[in-house]
């Protein structure tokens, strides 16, 4: 009997056991949808599965060195992936239709650059730009490639599958309705609710869990390599990442900025020092929707932590929470904090709706945050 062994963090072992059993019993579904929070390793698991399905070793799969394993991890085999792309990239010509000797970048070149990034660090949450999507053209080139079928098992990893636009989703659904023999689709998403229900229902659902804090710390250090001091992966960075090494990597770089700003924002808002507060916001350059949302996320984390402090619960971002020194403001009680959490949530919704510029919304948040408790 062939033994299957998918590698990954201990926190996700239960999900992998399910998959390994299906592989061993030769009943692996032709399409599977891995969902879970951003940056927890859904693509990493998809790559493990792709290797296991394509491996031809007689006893242990994936073996890591057979032809199938090599194909599954070769960044040049761009047919293995369906990924979101910027419209200009998706409209470049295919290598097959470019004349020999041409220097023009092909769609495969762009795709390969993304795939290379994924292999370097499958946890990264910012590989694709905000405007990138999976277009119907990309789905068509995938199905065209199916016509050139060789005799090997084919696995297509669909990264961030929720980024299919409507026509792409409908075209993909048709493919799922009649999956070619020996072909497997592994879809990943952190926004399952944005996908067509008809696509979801045709895939086996696999909900991947966040990592433990210790795993986040060790994975983050491993990915950062020698460029980083272990002290940079602080408790607050791990706390903010909520089980996601991808988010931790982001916060190692910018977490301190958002944490410091959030702590000052809370203090100055209680003290009604608006001039200083508005100047701080201007200096922090939170003009973009994405930036403003990151800041509001951290602010919301901080307020929840201040609530936890009231009940003596364990803090997620202890250093930032201590910066506020909430004992100095006895009027800020549990009610004030609970109200503040919902005011931040409201602002986050308004920022995401993109109707008003983020700086305006943040200024009015500063005034409203502890209204009635100042
Ligand atoms: Zn192999």
């Amino acid at each position: 009997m062939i033994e299957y062994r998918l590698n990954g963090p201990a926190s996700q072992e239960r999900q992998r056991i399910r998959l390994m059993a299906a592989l061993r019993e030769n009943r692996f579904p032709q399409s599977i949808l891995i969902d879970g929070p951003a940056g927890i390793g859904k693509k990493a698991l998809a790559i493990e599965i792709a290797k296991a399905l394509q491996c031809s070793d007689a006893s242990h799969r994936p073996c890591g060195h057979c032809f199938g394993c090599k194909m599954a991890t070769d960044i040049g085999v761009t047919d293995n992936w369906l990924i979101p792309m910027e419209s200009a990239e998706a409209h470049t010509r295919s290598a097959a239709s470019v004349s020999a000797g041409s220097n023009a970048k092909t769609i495969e070149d762009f795709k390969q650059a993304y795939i290379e990034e994924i292999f370097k660090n499958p946890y990264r949450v910012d590989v694709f730009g905000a405007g990138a999507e999976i277009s119907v053209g990309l789905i068509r080139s995938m199905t065209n490639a199916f016509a050139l079928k060789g005799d090997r098992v084919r696995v297509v990893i669909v990264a961030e599958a929720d980024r299919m636009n409507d026509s792409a989703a409908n075209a993909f659904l048709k493919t799922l309705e009649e999956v070619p023999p020996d072909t497997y689709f592994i879809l990943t998403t952190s926004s399952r609710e944005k996908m067509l229900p008809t696509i979801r229902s045709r895939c086996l659902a696999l909900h991947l869990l966040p990592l433990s804090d210790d795993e986040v710390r060790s994975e983050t250090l491993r990915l950062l390599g020698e460029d980083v001091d272990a002290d940079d992966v602080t408790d607050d960075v791990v706390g903010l990442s909520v089980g996601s090494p991808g988010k931790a990597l982001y916060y190692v770089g910018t977490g301190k900025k958002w944490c410091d700003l959030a702590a000052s924002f809370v203090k100055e808002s209680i003290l009604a020092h608006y001039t200083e507060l508005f100047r701080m916001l201007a200096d922090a350059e939170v003009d973009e929707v994405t930036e403003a949302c990151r800041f509001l996320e951290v602010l919301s984390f901080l307020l929840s932590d201040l609530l936890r402090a009231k009940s003596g619960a364990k803090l997620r971002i202890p250093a930032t929470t201590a910066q506020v020194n909430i004992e100095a403001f006895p009027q800020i009680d549990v009610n004030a904090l609970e109200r503040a959490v919902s005011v931040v949530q409201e602002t986050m919704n308004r920022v995401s709706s993109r109707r008003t510029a983020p700086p305006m919304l943040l200024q009015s948040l500063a005034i409203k945050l502890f209204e009635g408790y100042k």
Side-chain angles (χ1 to χ4, degrees), residues 55-57 62-66 69:
C55 180
S56 57
D57 192 87
C63 69
H65 46 74
C66 72
C69 284

Side-chain angles (χ1 to χ4, degrees), residues 209-367:
L209 298 178
L211 280 63
S212 71
D213 284 355
D214 286 342
E215 286 169 333
V216 168
R217 197 181 295 277
S218 58
E219 278 300 277
T220 308
L221 285 170
R222 185 180 65 79
L223 288 161
L224 286 168
E226 285 162 7
D227 322 335
V228 77
D229 195 330
D231 294 345
D232 289 346
V233 187
T234 60
D235 286 349
D236 284 26
V237 163
V238 174
L240 282 171
S241 69
V242 217
S244 160
K247 283 208 164 162
L249 287 166
Y250 167 80
Y251 284 122
V252 165
T254 51
K256 181 137 179 51
K257 169 184 164 179
W258 296 136
C259 286
D260 291 349
L261 183 64
S264 310
F265 192 94
V266 166
K267 271 193 293 193
E268 305 297 347
S269 168
I270 299 172
L271 297 166
H273 290 166
Y274 299 123
T275 322
E276 270 149 278
L277 221 167
F278 293 172
R279 187 182 41 75
M280 255 166 33
L281 285 172
D283 290 347
E285 294 173 18
V286 267
D287 312 340
E288 299 290 331
V289 170
T290 334
E291 301 273 279
C293 285
R294 302 271 189 194
F295 165 63
L296 288 170
E297 247 174 59
V298 175
L299 180 61
S300 158
F301 238 96
L302 171 59
L303 292 166
S304 310
D305 239 17
L306 291 168
L307 266 169
R308 281 187 204 104
K310 294 269 180 203
S311 64
K314 186 175 181 287
L315 303 181
R316 296 290 304 178
I317 47 172
T320 310
T321 306
Q323 272 189 56
V324 176
N325 190 21
I326 197 74
E327 294 77 24
F329 312 103
Q331 80 274 27
I332 305 300
D333 57 11
V334 171
N335 292 332
L337 289 166
E338 277 173 353
R339 186 185 157 279
V341 170
S342 67
V343 174
V344 170
Q345 187 55 52
E346 249 167 58
T347 306
M348 221 186 279
N349 297 340
R350 294 187 63 196
V351 168
S352 312
S353 78
R354 291 167 190 265
R355 277 196 288 272
T356 316
M360 299 265 295
L361 292 170
L362 293 178
Q363 290 187 1
S364 92
L365 173 67
I367 298 165

